[in-house]
Amino acid sequence: MDSPYPRYATEGRSSACAAAEAPTPAESRSSRSSCSARQERAKLDHLRRQAEEGQVTLRVAEVLPAEQAEQAHRLLNAGGVRGRLVLEF
């Protein structure tokens, strides 16, 4: 896309990030990434607030130390895990 306003669609919505001047192709990719990261951050903040207020509950299957990440992958690949596996750092 040659526009200085990179656009992308997320779940049926369209967003744009304005650049001060026309970005290079590399800058354009960076702008889209940073715009997307801001949107994802906002969604995660909203979800966090809902969890803190008890509006949603998060199902955690197991909390494992980061050193057991390989075990967490094995459990996920085996299937049947109900909830999220959390790695604690």
Side-chain angles (χ1 to χ4, degrees), residues 39-52:
Q39 282 190 336
E40 293 305 312
R41 169 79 187 253
K43 289 178 185 178
L44 287 172
D45 283 342
H46 179 72
L47 181 60
R48 177 189 48 79
R49 283 191 302 276
Q50 287 180 313
E52 288 174 349

Side-chain angles (χ1 to χ4, degrees), residues 6 13 19-20 23-24 36 39 44-45 57-58 72 75 82 85 87:
R13 294 183 300 260
T24 66
S36 179
Q39 282 190 336
L44 287 172
D45 283 342
T57 56
L58 308 175
L75 290 169
R82 293 184 51 93
L85 294 175
L87 293 177

Side-chain angles (χ1 to χ4, degrees), residues 1-85:
M1 175 184 295
D2 293 330
S3 170
Y5 306 102
R7 296 184 177 275
Y8 57 94
T10 304
E11 301 171 2
R13 294 183 300 260
S14 178
S15 296
C17 290
E21 55 189 60
T24 66
E27 290 171 334
S28 179
R29 283 189 298 278
S30 175
S31 293
R32 282 192 295 269
S33 295
S34 124
C35 232
S36 179
R38 282 193 300 269
Q39 282 190 336
E40 293 305 312
R41 169 79 187 253
K43 289 178 185 178
L44 287 172
D45 283 342
H46 179 72
L47 181 60
R48 177 189 48 79
R49 283 191 302 276
Q50 287 180 313
E52 288 174 349
E53 295 168 2
Q55 295 174 9
V56 295
T57 56
L58 308 175
R59 181 182 292 181
V60 175
E62 191 170 349
V63 178
L64 300 166
E67 297 79 23
Q68 291 184 10
E70 187 177 338
Q71 172 65 16
H73 279 280
R74 277 196 294 272
L75 290 169
L76 286 173
N77 288 335
V81 175
R82 293 184 51 93
R84 301 287 185 221
L85 294 175

